């Protein structure tokens, strides 16, 4: 069976790689092509477009890349038709994938489309559900999504969160404060200077800065060598970094969920430009932005966004968390329990392989 896959960011690439690997176990005759990254390449996906070229952050940057992405969408459609692709798997990346889904169903309605990890429409606008409904199957990885989509007349399947099977709770940890400024240039440039102010303020603490790549050092203007209480690592894994740390300061994103599943408390940081802030605050009407907080519908991980994302607020929250470790740990355990399931990734893989035979009534 021939599959075409489409994702656009590292987190989606990671989740897709888990799924592809499991599908290969169930059906070694499967062949995968498409838009993905290193994680998927390593498990056997034939990459037709590397996601490094697609990186987009925020609304203004997305507008700038509109023509480029539109051209790519038509190239993918031609590839699917020429190579007689049987099934398409879309993963997150709603800004592109929802429009691609519309074009795909208009040109080749017979192709079975699976939307795995649909975009956060409760954040980005419910009007886009009309486009999402075009997918033959919608597979979600958070329990509240089932009811959300059901309330809009959309059926979805949920087996649990795949990260549950990939991340174990790390109980024995060190005393560092872990700094995770993100993997995008814009994130690092906006968040790292604020993090370094915290490093400067708390000279009695040890800090560990984990960069996604050594190349990201080129984006940093500050002299990191002047901070005696700071270590910089790029090769270290997230798991090893957490083993050395007692708390984390992290850019908003999937990494916050990873922190929760490994049992470490942290603070969510987000800072963007004025245009994006206006859209987020007055059009999207954001509540919680981090997945752990959405899971319990309460603030387990303090969210310091925009003006609140400053060294004074961050330092205050560090002190508060460290004084209430038992209370925070109890809530973090609840997050993990709520996202658990049995043979989660295998269940999603089998669902895809069964295809049109499965009922949309499964929830």
């Amino acid at each position: 069976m021939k599959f075409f896959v489409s994702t656009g960011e590292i987190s989606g690439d990671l989740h897709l790689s888990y799924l592809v690997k499991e599908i290969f176990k169930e059906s070694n005759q499967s062949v995968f092509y498409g838009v993905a990254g290193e994680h998927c390449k390593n498990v056997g996906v034939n990459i037709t477009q590397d996601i490094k070229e697609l990186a987009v952050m925020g609304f203004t940057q997305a507008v700038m890349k509109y023509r480029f992405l539109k051209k790519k969408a038509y190239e993918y459609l031609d590839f699917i038709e020429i190579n007689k692709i049987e099934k398409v798997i879309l993963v997150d990346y709603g800004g592109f994938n929802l429009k691609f889904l519309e074009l795909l169903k208009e040109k080749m309605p017979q192709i079975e489309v699976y939307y795995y990890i649909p975009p956060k429409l409760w954040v980005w606008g419910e009007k886009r559900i009309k486009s999402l409904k075009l997918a033959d199957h919608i597979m979600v990885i958070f329990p509240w999504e089932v009811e959300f989509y059901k309330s809009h007349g959309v059926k979805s399947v949920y087996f649990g969160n795949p990260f549950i099977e990939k991340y174990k709770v790390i109980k024995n940890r060190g005393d560092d404060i872990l700094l995770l400024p993100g993997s995008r240039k814009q994130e690092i440039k906006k968040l790292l200077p604020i993090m370094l102010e915290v490093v400067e303020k708390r000279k009695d603490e040890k800090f560990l800065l984990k960069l996604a790549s050594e190349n990201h050092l080129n984006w940093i203007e500050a002299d990191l060598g002047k901070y005696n209480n700071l270590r910089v690592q790029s090769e270290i894994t997230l798991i090893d970094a957490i083993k050395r740390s007692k708390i984390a300061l992290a850019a908003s994103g999937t990494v916050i969920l990873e922190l929760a599943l490994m049992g470490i408390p942290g603070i969510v940081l987000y800072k963007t430009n004025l245009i994006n802030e206006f859209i987020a605050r007055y059009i999207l009407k954001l509540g919680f932005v981090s997945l752990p907080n959405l899971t319990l519908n309460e603030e387990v991980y303090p969210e310091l966004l925009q003006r609140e994302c400053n060294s004074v607020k961050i330092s205050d929250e560090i002190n508060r968390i460290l004084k209430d470790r038992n209370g925070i740990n109890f809530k973090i355990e609840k997050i993990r329990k709520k996202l658990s399931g049995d043979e989660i990734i295998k269940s999603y893989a089998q669902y895809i392989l069964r295809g049109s035979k499965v009922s949309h009534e499964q929830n």
Side-chain angles (χ1 to χ4, degrees):
M1 183 174 294
K2 291 183 178 181
F3 292 88
F4 185 88
V5 299
S6 174
T7 190
E9 296 181 317
I10 293 173
S11 60
D13 181 51
L14 185 60
H15 275 293
L16 181 56
S17 71
Y18 298 155
L19 189 60
V20 169
K21 188 174 181 180
E22 201 62 45
I23 290 174
F24 276 136
K25 288 181 185 177
E26 299 287 321
S27 173
N28 57 15
Q29 298 302 310
S30 299
V31 182
F32 287 85
Y33 304 92
V35 189
E38 284 298 314
H39 295 294
C40 283
K41 182 179 179 180
N42 291 338
V43 297
V45 175
N46 297 289
I47 306 297
T48 59
Q49 175 73 58
D50 195 301
I51 62 172
K52 290 177 184 176
E53 298 178 31
L54 304 178
V56 174
M57 180 184 178
F59 299 90
T60 52
Q61 290 88 351
V63 170
M64 290 166 59
K65 280 207 170 186
Y66 174 76
R67 289 184 180 177
F68 171 79
L69 294 174
K70 184 177 181 181
K71 176 175 176 288
K72 287 297 175 183
Y74 283 101
E75 288 179 8
Y76 304 157
L77 291 174
D78 289 341
F79 182 93
I80 289 169
E81 187 171 34
I82 292 169
N83 290 277
K84 296 182 171 55
I85 299 295
E86 299 163 76
K87 297 187 179 187
V88 171
I89 304 174
L90 307 176
V91 181
D92 202 354
Y93 201 52
F96 174 82
N97 275 338
L98 285 175
K99 187 61 181 177
F100 181 53
L101 172 60
E102 292 176 6
L103 295 172
L104 179 60
K105 279 300 181 180
E106 180 182 338
K107 187 173 182 179
M108 291 168 275
Q110 77 283 2
I111 289 182
E112 202 167 4
V113 180
Y114 298 78
Y115 213 128
Y116 183 51
I117 313 178
K120 302 172 183 64
L121 297 187
W122 63 90
V123 174
W124 297 110
E126 299 176 18
K127 292 181 180 179
R128 301 168 82 187
I129 287 178
K130 183 178 179 182
S131 299
L132 184 62
K133 283 183 177 181
L134 295 173
D136 299 284
H137 305 277
I138 297 167
M139 305 181 298
V140 300
I141 62 171
F142 293 100
W144 72 81
E145 293 180 292
V146 176
E147 287 303 316
F148 171 80
Y149 286 119
K150 189 176 182 180
S151 69
H152 289 83
V154 180
K155 293 173 182 176
S156 60
V157 296
Y158 170 75
F159 298 110
N161 192 285
F163 275 169
I164 288 288
E165 298 178 343
K166 298 299 178 180
Y167 294 111
K168 306 299 179 187
V169 175
I170 300 172
K171 293 184 178 180
N172 298 317
R173 301 194 304 269
D175 290 321
D176 287 3
I177 295 178
L178 177 59
L179 306 178
L180 300 166
S183 59
R184 299 186 183 96
K185 186 175 183 179
Q186 299 98 320
E187 288 176 319
I188 293 172
K189 280 189 166 293
K190 286 185 178 294
L191 294 181
L192 187 57
I194 299 168
M195 291 179 171
L196 292 177
E197 287 181 23
V198 178
V199 175
E200 181 69 29
K201 286 176 181 288
R202 304 178 73 102
K203 289 186 168 68
D204 57 333
E205 297 273 16
K206 295 183 299 178
F207 290 82
L208 173 60
L209 170 60
K210 175 177 163 35
L211 298 173
S213 167
E214 188 174 357
N215 293 333
H216 293 174
L217 287 168
N218 297 326
W219 301 340
I220 299 171
E221 297 176 5
D223 177 13
L224 299 179
K226 75 176 185 179
Y227 300 97
N228 296 325
N229 57 336
L230 175 67
R231 286 182 298 160
V232 182
Q233 297 275 352
S234 57
E235 299 302 320
I236 192 174
T237 66
L238 180 61
I239 293 173
D240 286 336
I242 288 175
K243 286 179 180 178
R244 302 181 186 183
S245 308
K246 60 184 176 182
I247 189 172
L249 312 181
S252 176
T254 304
V255 71
I256 308 299
L257 179 61
E258 295 172 291
L259 297 178
L261 296 182
M262 287 186 274
I264 184 172
I267 300 169
V268 183
L269 306 179
Y270 182 82
K271 203 170 185 68
T272 186
N273 61 42
L274 292 175
I275 295 174
N276 290 345
E277 180 186 5
F278 174 81
I279 294 172
R281 288 184 181 276
Y282 298 101
I283 298 180
L284 304 183
K285 299 177 183 178
L286 294 179
F288 293 126
V289 300
S290 66
L291 297 171
N293 292 347
L294 284 165
T295 298
L296 294 189
N297 196 31
E298 66 175 294
E299 191 176 79
V300 182
Y301 285 76
E303 299 179 349
L304 300 182
L305 316 179
Q306 295 301 96
R307 295 174 183 84
E308 292 193 336
C309 183
N310 62 69
S311 60
V312 175
K313 287 274 190 180
I314 293 170
S315 196
D316 287 345
E317 289 294 346
I318 291 174
N319 293 337
R320 186 183 65 81
I321 290 171
L322 294 179
K323 286 179 182 177
D324 185 29
R325 295 195 198 198
N326 291 336
I328 299 293
N329 288 339
F330 177 74
K331 291 179 180 179
I332 290 175
E333 288 174 11
K334 285 173 62 179
I335 293 168
R336 187 176 183 91
K337 288 177 182 176
K338 195 158 187 180
L339 297 177
S340 293
D342 296 320
E343 296 187 314
I344 297 170
I345 302 172
K346 181 178 180 179
S347 297
Y348 285 116
Q350 290 177 338
Y351 181 87
I352 290 173
L353 289 170
R354 291 199 303 273
S356 58
K357 297 177 184 178
V358 300
S359 169
H360 281 234
E361 295 298 326
Q362 185 175 1
N363 281 296

